[in-house]
Amino acid sequence: MFPTPIAKRSRSAQLSYQAFLPLALILWLLPLLAVALFSVKPGADFANGNYWGIPSSFDLFSNYGMVFFESNMPRYLMNSLLITIPTVIGAVALSSLAGFALGIYKFRGNLLIFFMFIAGNFVPFQILMVPVRDLTISMGLYDSVMGLVLFHVAFQTGFCTLFMRNFIRALPYPLIEAARVEGVAEWRIFWYVVLPLMKPALAALAVLVFTFIWNDYFWAVVLTQGPNAQPVTAGITEFNSQFRAAYHLMSAGSIVAALPPVAMFFLMQKHFIAGLTLGAVK
Amino acid sequence: MSVSPAVPTTHARQPNRGWYRRNEIALTPWLFLILPVAFFLTYVVVPIGQSFWISFHQWDGLGEATWVGMDNYNRLLGLGDQNIDRKFETSFWNNIRWLVLYLLAIPMGLFIALFLNQTVTGIRLYKSLFFFPFVISQVVVGLVFSWFYLPNVGLFEIITGFFGLEIRGGVLGNPDTATYGIIAAGLWPQTAYCMILYLTGLNAVDSEQVEAARLDGAKGWRMLWFVIIPQLKPATFIAFVVTIIGALRSFDLISIMTNGGPFGSTRVLSFYMFEESLSEFGFRMGYGAAIAVVLFFIMLGFIVYFLWSMWQDEKGAR
């Protein structure tokens, strides 16, 4: 193990490490802590120049109540969910199909198709922007949840297929051969043999895609406008212009917008990290 | 007498199997691929080609597009008798700044990972909390940092003011510092990402090798450089890939924190492209597409390198 385990060091080194840890964490999260502090302050504090001091009163409920009951925030949160959940289902489903085809079968063009999915992943969004916006308009899906979902499913399929294919590759191949000898149809092999083994990959991808899509801003701006379809990342700018310079409300809004992926991360930490660090170890 | 059941059942049906059953193994992958490939072609592959096509036109996004040949590129890059587009020049150099400085996330991430790679009580919680910034959307990161940088009252100014340093107009209000301020905000989540990659990598470091090196008297920097970092190579590769892509995709932070200003000093290609194509100054889709194509070619250099490395791995796996 590197660096030398702290347990093998002197007592004083251990103590200073333990003391330094929380300090470093506070320093690292300082910008966030500041926002959390902002979000429980009353508006008057900012007018009086008390930005960083102790809140003159604890206004958590009134600030967050404002966000939830007197703004478009709930609408935006709902849109985010309506965009994110179908995308997760669609991208994971499509990529399991593609991953199965590319991971199990040997055929001409296999690697070529696989590399198409990988390469598409790295492309800058801007080169897709004008044509995708056009396509969405011509399908009558501009400024709709569906328009965003379709694009996100297609784009995320690239990354997810990379993940799925490598995962399926690592499964024991004799299992599939055994099923074939038994005369099991190929789609049944997918459904009854491979899919149950893919549960960890499905979970990892689901949380990752959830976070990516929830946090997307660019496509939200390109493909939607206004509260009837915009997700919370885009909505927060409208929210902020509604409450210009009301830092207590803007920070409460930001925290609300950031919370769902954070909750997802803490609930599914193991899968999340397994997904993100795919390939970091050989 | 009946024969053993496993094989004969399939054998008996062999002669009258349908065409599909006979070609099942050859056909199945294509049936599985139809839908994902169709989606990916429609929304990713074909649009790349269309963008190239649009970049040779003048088009407001509504009416007819007019063919203008290389005009957009001439105007953008200052070819022929044209002067180079000043906004493009700024954006391009900012992109280079992003690329170079964003790479700092890799050593910083490694540093934090080494710091946290211990087993003391509660370390797991510490690791997750250090990772926290990556999970938050860039929009929120941008907002948080723009308040952090607020002129006069922001925490950053209070701290730097303590050391007697003053930036005129605030970090984001000053054209000389604004881009660096945004990059610093971007480094925050990116470092967290690199950290988690390295933590996973460090977990897999071969402890026998480390012990052997220790017996040979290696420690500290020499140990890190000659024993640990070579074993972290896969993690470093992924950190490099995601950091480069992240740097070239930077859009959210700029849009939220400065919207390209002050005086256009924080524009990058991805932002400038968006501005040209969809801003209130009118829709110049052709010109925007040309900017996107240039950005694509910058990215292409890296994409080819990434794919080549992955291709080598694939060949090794066979």
Side-chain angles (χ1 to χ4, degrees):
Chain A
M1 203 177 153
F2 184 87
T4 315
I6 202 83
K8 287 188 190 164
R9 298 282 203 79
S10 68
R11 189 82 195 114
S12 63
Q14 285 178 33
L15 283 178
S16 48
Y17 181 75
Q18 301 252 17
F20 191 60
L21 261 182
L23 220 66
L25 183 69
I26 290 173
L27 218 60
W28 181 243
L29 294 181
L30 200 60
L32 263 187
L33 295 174
V35 175
L37 174 72
F38 271 21
S39 76
V40 298
K41 283 183 156 219
D45 276 11
F46 297 101
N48 298 333
N50 173 16
Y51 277 72
W52 304 102
I54 315 274
S56 61
S57 63
F58 185 70
D59 277 15
L60 181 120
F61 295 104
S62 70
N63 288 349
Y64 285 86
M66 194 80 172
V67 171
F68 277 111
F69 301 114
E70 277 160 65
S71 77
N72 277 328
M73 244 3 205
R75 176 77 237 190
Y76 290 127
L77 287 169
M78 193 63 200
N79 288 339
S80 273
L81 276 181
L82 290 176
I83 292 163
T84 310
I85 290 170
T87 304
V88 169
I89 295 170
V92 170
L94 285 186
S95 61
S96 345
L97 295 179
F100 177 74
L102 296 173
I104 298 287
Y105 299 92
K106 286 203 176 82
F107 58 92
R108 281 183 61 167
N110 181 320
L111 268 190
L112 196 74
I113 295 178
F114 181 52
F115 274 83
M116 173 192 83
F117 279 120
I118 305 179
N121 238 327
F122 295 145
V123 155
F125 292 148
Q126 279 69 21
I127 199 153
L128 311 178
M129 186 183 103
V130 174
V132 166
R133 189 172 174 277
D134 244 30
L135 178 68
T136 309
I137 291 174
S138 68
M139 290 193 298
L141 293 175
Y142 180 75
D143 197 22
S144 75
V145 164
M146 192 61 182
L148 266 177
V149 169
L150 284 179
F151 171 77
H152 281 319
V153 167
F155 193 81
Q156 295 301 324
T157 297
F159 167 72
C160 296
T161 300
L162 163 68
F163 189 99
M164 284 293 189
R165 182 265 191 188
N166 286 347
F167 189 87
I168 291 174
R169 262 275 156 121
L171 294 177
Y173 192 69
L175 222 58
I176 286 127
E177 279 175 332
R180 278 192 189 141
V181 171
E182 294 287 332
V184 181
E186 296 293 317
W187 69 269
R188 280 171 173 273
I189 294 181
F190 170 72
W191 192 256
Y192 292 108
V193 180
V194 174
L195 208 54
L197 294 173
M198 274 165 34
K199 274 180 198 149
L202 297 174
L205 279 182
V207 281
L208 274 187
V209 174
F210 182 93
T211 315
F212 291 163
I213 301 306
W214 186 281
N215 290 341
D216 164 69
Y217 174 70
F218 181 73
W219 291 103
V221 184
V222 171
L223 297 180
T224 58
Q225 48 176 227
N228 66 18
Q230 258 185 349
V232 73
T233 43
I236 190 109
T237 51
E238 187 253 15
F239 178 86
N240 285 353
S241 51
Q242 186 185 342
F243 297 104
R244 180 141 298 281
Y247 291 106
H248 55 304
L249 297 179
M250 295 201 293
S251 13
S254 307
I255 288 183
V256 168
L259 223 46
V262 169
M264 200 64 153
F265 166 66
F266 276 103
L267 290 175
M268 311 269 288
Q269 215 184 109
K270 201 183 85 195
H271 295 298
F272 192 98
I273 290 173
L276 268 186
T277 54
L278 162 88
V281 195
K282 281 270 155 72
Chain B
M1 275 291 280
S2 61
V3 258
S4 78
V7 188
T9 38
T10 49
H11 259 290
R13 252 194 268 142
Q14 202 112 29
N16 51 17
R17 281 199 311 175
W19 181 81
Y20 172 72
R21 287 290 282 168
R22 267 182 284 125
N23 296 294
E24 198 181 1
I25 292 188
L27 283 172
T28 313
W30 296 106
L31 290 176
F32 273 82
L33 279 172
I34 286 177
L35 209 55
V37 169
F39 257 76
F40 205 70
L41 284 178
T42 328
Y43 272 107
V44 182
V45 180
V46 173
I48 296 175
Q50 286 172 318
S51 269
F52 272 88
W53 179 245
I54 295 169
S55 75
F56 295 115
H57 292 80
Q58 190 174 37
W59 188 38
D60 62 0
L62 299 165
E64 280 298 300
T66 344
W67 175 267
V68 292
M70 290 295 287
D71 267 16
N72 287 329
Y73 292 99
N74 293 342
R75 200 146 59 89
L76 195 62
L77 304 168
L79 305 172
D81 53 355
Q82 302 261 15
N83 283 326
I84 187 164
D85 181 344
R86 292 285 297 281
K87 293 181 190 168
F88 171 79
E89 216 179 351
T90 318
S91 311
F92 177 80
W93 287 111
N94 276 339
N95 261 122
I96 303 290
R97 287 190 188 104
W98 270 89
L99 271 177
V100 174
L101 293 175
Y102 225 46
L103 287 175
L104 285 177
I106 298 176
M108 277 163 36
L110 176 62
F111 177 78
I112 299 180
L114 287 172
F115 173 63
L116 290 178
N117 192 32
Q118 295 287 355
T119 36
V120 296
T121 39
I123 197 73
R124 272 196 51 162
L125 186 65
Y126 276 109
K127 287 177 185 170
S128 346
L129 287 172
F130 265 90
F131 182 61
F132 209 84
F134 181 75
V135 189
I136 303 169
S137 94
Q138 298 238 319
V139 172
V140 175
V141 171
L143 288 171
V144 168
F145 267 82
S146 55
W147 299 331
F148 184 67
Y149 289 141
L150 277 176
N152 304 322
V153 294
L155 205 51
F156 182 81
E157 295 245 322
I158 293 174
I159 297 168
T160 52
F162 187 74
F163 294 105
L165 197 79
E166 206 197 323
I167 298 168
R168 203 132 58 97
V171 178
L172 297 178
N174 188 324
D176 296 327
T177 53
T179 291
Y180 300 105
I182 302 175
I183 296 176
L187 276 174
W188 191 45
Q190 195 63 31
T191 303
Y193 192 177
C194 294
M195 175 206 81
I196 209 82
L197 288 169
Y198 278 123
L199 275 175
T200 316
L202 281 171
N203 250 336
V205 161
D206 184 0
S207 55
E208 279 180 23
Q209 265 193 45
V210 176
E211 286 310 316
R214 226 163 242 156
L215 287 180
D216 287 342
K219 54 185 174 199
W221 287 106
R222 288 175 60 82
M223 173 80 111
L224 179 67
W225 187 253
F226 291 108
V227 182
I228 306 298
I229 289 186
Q231 291 196 55
L232 292 175
K233 212 179 144 211
T236 307
F237 176 70
I238 300 204
F240 184 67
V241 173
V242 295
T243 305
I244 293 285
I245 295 177
L248 288 173
R249 280 210 179 135
S250 52
F251 172 87
D252 302 6
L253 287 174
I254 297 163
S255 167
I256 293 292
M257 291 173 77
T258 60
N259 206 17
F263 316 117
S265 62
T266 52
R267 281 196 192 96
V268 293
L269 290 178
S270 60
F271 186 82
Y272 183 37
M273 184 274 166
F274 177 83
E275 216 178 38
E276 281 296 315
S277 315
L278 291 180
S279 77
E280 57 262 48
F281 309 119
F283 290 5
R284 297 201 287 168
M285 301 280 188
Y287 200 56
I291 301 170
V293 168
V294 172
L295 181 62
F296 177 74
F297 275 113
I298 296 174
M299 196 80 118
L300 198 62
F302 292 105
I303 296 179
V304 169
Y305 166 69
F306 300 154
L307 290 185
W308 182 79
S309 311
M310 288 180 181
W311 180 266
Q312 296 296 330
D313 280 359
E314 279 302 318
K315 278 205 310 202
R318 246 136 234 281

